[in-house]
Amino acid sequence: MALIRYNSPMVQVFIVGMICFCCPGMFNALTGIGGTGQASTKAAANANTATAVTFTICSLIGAPVYNIFGHRVMIPAALTYVLYVGAFLSTSSAFAIAAGAILGIGAGFLWTAQAGIMMSYPSEKDKGKAFSLFWMVFNLGATIGAAIPLGNEWNSGGRSAVKTSTYIAFMIIMTFGALLTLALLPANKVIRADGSRVSLHKISNWKRESAEVLRLFMNYRMLILIPLFAGSNWFYTYQFNVLNGPNFMSIRARALNNFLYWLFQIIGAGLFGLFLDSSRLGSRRARAIYGDLITLVIITALWIATIFIQMNYTRQSILEPSYVKLDILDPRYPGIVIVYSLFGIVDAMYQGYIYWLMGTMTNDVERAARYGGFYKTIQNACKAIADQLEATEVAYMTQLIIIFTINTVGLLLALFVAKGVPNVTFETIENLENGLTVGTLVGGQLRDINSKNNFTVHMDESLSNEFEK
């Protein structure tokens, strides 16, 4: 029953997943075609750079905004996805870039709120499953979204850009997702299975939040994880605009690749989340190390395979008049589509590992939002660099080697953080409601309270009554 209560963490994570199903999920489906469905990747690359820049800034301030205003920030944030897709119905590159910048603002707020909810709402033993639930629902959106251009473009022949009806379909779905944010409950109304509320905080303030954000840059674990964060979206630029680029493959091959990529994300998320929560594999520390090493081995194998694919073409060779775009009937296609689909699995593993690892550091809603905001800040700052490498036409093989190196270094450094993962997280929290000043969270449950310099064991009797409703 705990999992199907409307005010349970898993139901709320599911709703967030549905919001992201409709908005970022559809956005991923469209960008995954390569060039955001356009014949040239330049407009999309420049728009994505604008998105990444504002996404970077607003991710950092997204946690303060969420901690002050709550989940309501997700409503206008989700609507920016509609505007972005609509911009590609115009022929104006300037409009597309402006819409990309606005999207970055909304995405920064949306994804910071998502991180705070997904990492802090569930109990410690369920954080891998919470990621699985969210990521599977989210990428089901991308998968269904990818089926739209796949169906529309299957008989498109040599066309390079998608049809207008494809963009309109995405905008309708995204609008529904924005409205779905109204179904979310405030954090202090969400109750875990043990009867504890996920948040006992009063409304925060800008002064306090500014100080807490600055402290993130002195947190040694966050600093060690910067290369891991950097690689988490960097590979999208290469995968979507080079390996699945409009000059390399036909539109229907790109659409099929895109569909399979997001479908395999669902498989990867489902399996890896269960793996990370499986106590039969040992302590949380052991699972943190195993998860890191498994992800490292798989992503290394895939990048090596991609090097062999990339050796067969360059940016210049696919622009030659004699070049014939690779299609699904080409004998080279099966090997490429297998590698591309497996990248979907490893992406889910890579992202899931980051969220799960940060989730072992905190069970506090406010702190989880800040960690998520820091992660997204680094992720999108580096994504802006990756997009500009493509926009300035850096050699494909160079782009590949750069991201391969970043992924490898990031996962190796993350082992130092993984070795320090505790079986149960102890942390001190502040800014509590009812006049309380300092509390201790043990595995997400509030135990000790310091109010007026007196420490007592705190049991909130209202929780059991609220849980039984």
Side-chain angles (χ1 to χ4, degrees):
M1 292 297 293
L3 290 179
I4 60 173
R5 284 182 294 108
Y6 189 71
N7 65 343
S8 74
M10 286 301 185
V11 169
Q12 296 299 303
V13 169
F14 174 78
I15 294 173
V16 174
M18 286 299 300
I19 295 167
C20 291
F21 169 108
C22 295
C23 297
M26 295 298 145
F27 170 83
N28 284 348
L30 187 59
T31 57
I33 302 171
T36 317
Q38 299 293 297
S40 169
T41 65
K42 189 167 185 178
N46 285 325
N48 288 340
T49 300
T51 300
V53 171
T54 52
F55 200 162
T56 299
I57 297 169
C58 292
S59 292
L60 198 59
I61 66 173
V65 171
Y66 174 70
N67 290 337
I68 293 171
F69 297 104
H71 68 285
R72 290 168 292 184
V73 302
M74 298 179 76
I75 300 172
L79 287 171
T80 61
Y81 284 87
V82 183
L83 175 66
Y84 177 81
V85 175
F88 284 93
L89 292 175
S90 165
T91 58
S92 171
S93 295
F95 183 27
I97 293 171
I102 295 170
L103 172 62
I105 297 172
F109 294 157
L110 180 68
W111 280 104
T112 302
Q114 174 271 336
I117 291 170
M118 190 181 71
M119 291 194 294
S120 67
Y121 280 22
S123 302
E124 288 190 338
K125 64 181 179 61
D126 294 326
K127 292 198 176 187
K129 290 185 280 290
F131 167 77
S132 290
L133 175 62
F134 168 80
W135 208 255
M136 291 171 73
V137 173
F138 162 46
N139 282 294
L140 180 61
T143 303
I144 294 175
I148 295 172
L150 178 61
N152 272 348
E153 315 303 335
W154 188 257
N155 295 315
S156 294
R159 293 179 68 254
S160 296
V162 302
K163 298 175 182 176
T164 299
S165 59
T166 297
Y167 290 109
I168 293 173
F170 280 124
M171 292 174 68
I172 293 171
I173 296 170
M174 287 174 169
T175 302
F176 174 76
L179 296 175
L180 194 58
T181 58
L182 298 171
L184 283 173
L185 292 176
N188 61 3
K189 299 292 185 181
V190 182
I191 313 297
R192 297 191 182 100
D194 59 13
S196 62
R197 277 187 285 169
V198 301
S199 177
L200 293 170
H201 289 289
K202 61 184 179 182
I203 296 174
S204 190
N205 59 74
W206 287 107
K207 181 178 179 181
R208 175 173 175 270
E209 288 299 321
S210 297
E212 292 296 335
V213 167
L214 289 176
R215 287 193 184 99
L216 291 171
F217 292 91
M218 296 179 282
N219 184 319
Y220 77 94
R221 291 178 297 186
M222 289 289 107
L223 297 178
I224 290 173
L225 292 175
I226 284 177
L228 184 72
F229 297 165
S232 60
N233 269 15
W234 193 305
F235 47 56
Y236 285 158
T237 299
Y238 176 84
Q239 290 168 356
F240 295 166
N241 290 328
V242 179
L243 189 58
N244 199 39
N247 293 322
F248 178 48
M249 291 195 187
S250 68
I251 185 68
R252 69 173 180 178
R254 287 157 51 202
L256 179 57
N257 292 346
N258 187 36
F259 173 78
L260 293 173
Y261 185 92
W262 301 116
L263 178 64
F264 275 71
Q265 288 254 6
I266 297 173
I267 298 170
L271 295 176
F272 199 59
L274 293 175
F275 170 85
L276 292 172
D277 275 350
S278 179
S279 59
R280 291 179 293 180
L281 297 173
S283 64
R284 279 208 305 179
R285 174 180 175 274
R287 282 174 272 147
I289 294 172
Y290 297 156
D292 185 292
L293 292 176
I294 291 172
T295 304
L296 177 60
V297 169
I298 296 175
I299 203 168
T300 298
L302 287 175
W303 281 128
I304 291 173
T306 306
I307 288 174
F308 286 98
I309 296 172
Q310 188 60 70
M311 290 171 64
N312 293 312
Y313 70 100
T314 65
R315 187 184 298 276
Q316 291 72 34
S317 70
I318 59 178
L319 294 178
E320 293 290 333
S322 59
Y323 178 76
V324 178
K325 292 183 180 181
L326 190 145
D327 193 40
I328 58 173
L329 301 179
D330 192 297
R332 297 169 295 170
Y333 180 73
I336 295 174
V337 74
I338 289 172
V339 170
Y340 198 79
S341 299
L342 292 177
F343 267 125
I345 288 181
V346 82
D347 177 34
M349 294 172 63
Y350 194 104
Q351 309 281 357
Y353 183 72
I354 290 174
Y355 279 118
W356 183 85
L357 189 62
M358 290 193 296
T360 66
M361 302 176 193
T362 186
N363 293 295
D364 177 47
V365 174
E366 288 190 344
R367 191 167 289 137
R370 295 185 200 110
Y371 285 174
F374 184 85
Y375 163 43
K376 289 295 179 180
T377 296
I378 302 301
Q379 180 188 69
N380 287 287
C382 295
K383 178 66 163 58
I385 298 172
D387 284 335
Q388 277 308 293
L389 292 180
E390 172 58 18
T392 55
E393 301 186 351
V394 170
Y396 290 159
M397 186 64 79
T398 301
Q399 292 188 46
L400 193 162
I401 296 302
I402 290 172
I403 183 54
F404 186 4
T405 302
I406 292 172
N407 285 161
T408 302
V409 171
L411 285 163
L412 288 174
L413 287 176
L415 284 171
F416 290 99
V417 177
K419 290 179 179 178
V421 169
N423 277 331
V424 178
T425 302
F426 288 73
E427 58 188 320
T428 300
I429 61 172
E430 301 173 344
N431 195 44
L432 300 175
E433 60 189 12
N434 300 326
L436 304 172
T437 57
V438 179
T440 300
L441 283 182
V442 180
Q445 297 186 35
L446 193 61
R447 295 300 188 192
D448 301 310
I449 289 294
N450 177 11
S451 181
K452 298 180 180 179
N453 298 320
N454 293 320
F455 283 91
T456 59
V457 175
H458 175 71
M459 297 297 291
D460 190 341
E461 295 179 356
S462 67
L463 296 183
S464 59
N465 295 331
E466 193 166 356
F467 177 61
E468 291 171 358
K469 290 180 181 179

